[in-house]
Amino acid sequence: MFVLCGFPLSNYYNKVKLALLEKGVPFTEEDVATGEPARAAGSPLGKVPFARTEHGVLCESEALMDYIETRWPTPALLPADPWQRAKVRELTIFLDLHLELVARELYPQAFFGGTVSEKNRERVRALLNKHLAGFKLLAKFSPHVAGADFTQADCAAYVHLPLVALSTQLVLGEDLVATHGIDWKAYVKHVGQRPSAQKVTADRKADQARRTARPS
């Protein structure tokens, strides 16, 4: 049995969960917080997601995505053609590293009551302007990120793009994703019609409601 460990508010957790649901892989979920709980459970850096597999514990979302694709190859979330396969991975790298990881520096102020210095805000703005322009050159949105088919790149785009857009709107006063002509709302609405995306979204909202209702 594949056990996905983490929590439904994590976009990287949901990226992996989307892939599992799309493939119909039987799995269970284990609520594990970041930091010491995750480290004690087998995640070396105390990060989520990680998974318990028949072979042992595996961490890092891209390693999990690769394992899932290889272990359960159908339905495929990567093209068979080597070039097209590489292009999907290229998009996923852009989404993970050049968009979400950069925007993540805004999250303390956007979502957790913290403050990001003006210097860091402007540095993030400059990087995202550069990276979003590059991403737009690669992405097709026809109707999916890499083209006609739903792929691993969509597992990343569906969970990352709304956070990049919202965090820039809240902290920088401008939705930089939309500014670069990327109609992420229409894209998310389209992908959101899939049962897998509906399940991920419903679980995320339920987890957020539970956490909000907890006494401080």
Side-chain angles (χ1 to χ4, degrees):
M1 178 62 74
F2 189 100
V3 182
L4 182 61
C5 302
F7 49 90
L9 279 181
S10 163
N11 45 323
Y12 286 94
Y13 178 93
N14 288 332
K15 173 180 129 178
V16 176
K17 186 173 175 177
L18 261 175
L20 292 167
L21 291 168
E22 281 288 325
K23 287 178 170 289
V25 175
F27 71 101
T28 60
E29 298 179 70
E30 182 178 329
D31 192 275
V32 180
T34 56
E36 191 52 43
R39 190 175 296 108
S43 176
L45 298 180
K47 296 166 54 181
V48 300
F50 62 97
R52 304 184 194 283
T53 77
E54 58 189 303
H55 308 290
V57 176
L58 182 66
C59 64
E60 295 298 332
S61 68
E62 273 305 283
L64 291 167
M65 296 291 277
D66 185 65
Y67 174 79
I68 292 165
E69 187 68 19
T70 305
R71 177 70 176 77
W72 297 281
T74 55
L77 293 181
L78 286 174
D81 177 77
W83 173 252
Q84 295 302 325
R85 193 179 185 97
K87 294 299 286 183
V88 170
R89 291 191 180 279
E90 178 183 54
L91 282 164
T92 303
I93 290 169
F94 255 78
L95 285 156
D96 283 356
L97 299 184
H98 301 315
L99 300 188
E100 199 281 339
L101 191 61
V102 176
R104 181 167 287 258
E105 295 192 45
L106 303 177
Y107 294 1
Q109 182 169 326
F111 307 124
F112 303 113
T115 302
V116 178
S117 70
E118 182 177 357
K119 179 179 179 181
N120 280 339
R121 290 198 303 269
E122 292 312 308
R123 180 177 58 81
V124 169
R125 185 195 298 273
L127 282 173
L128 283 177
N129 277 328
K130 176 182 178 182
H131 295 177
L132 281 163
F135 174 71
K136 188 179 179 184
L137 293 174
L138 296 174
K140 295 182 178 178
F141 293 108
S142 59
H144 300 105
V145 179
D149 298 325
F150 184 94
T151 67
Q152 285 188 0
D154 294 289
C155 293
Y158 182 72
V159 298
H160 290 338
L161 288 179
L163 285 174
V164 176
L166 182 57
S167 62
T168 55
Q169 180 67 62
L170 291 173
V171 180
L172 304 180
E174 179 183 13
D175 175 352
L176 291 184
V177 183
T179 295
H180 282 269
I182 299 169
D183 191 355
W184 66 270
K185 291 183 180 179
Y187 166 76
V188 166
K189 182 178 180 180
H190 171 73
V191 174
Q193 297 173 5
R194 305 177 76 88
S196 60
Q198 291 172 3
K199 169 67 172 170
V200 164
T201 298
D203 289 352
R204 176 181 57 79
K205 289 181 177 178
D207 187 55
Q208 186 173 20
R210 282 194 299 269
R211 293 173 189 275
T212 302
R214 288 176 185 171
S216 56

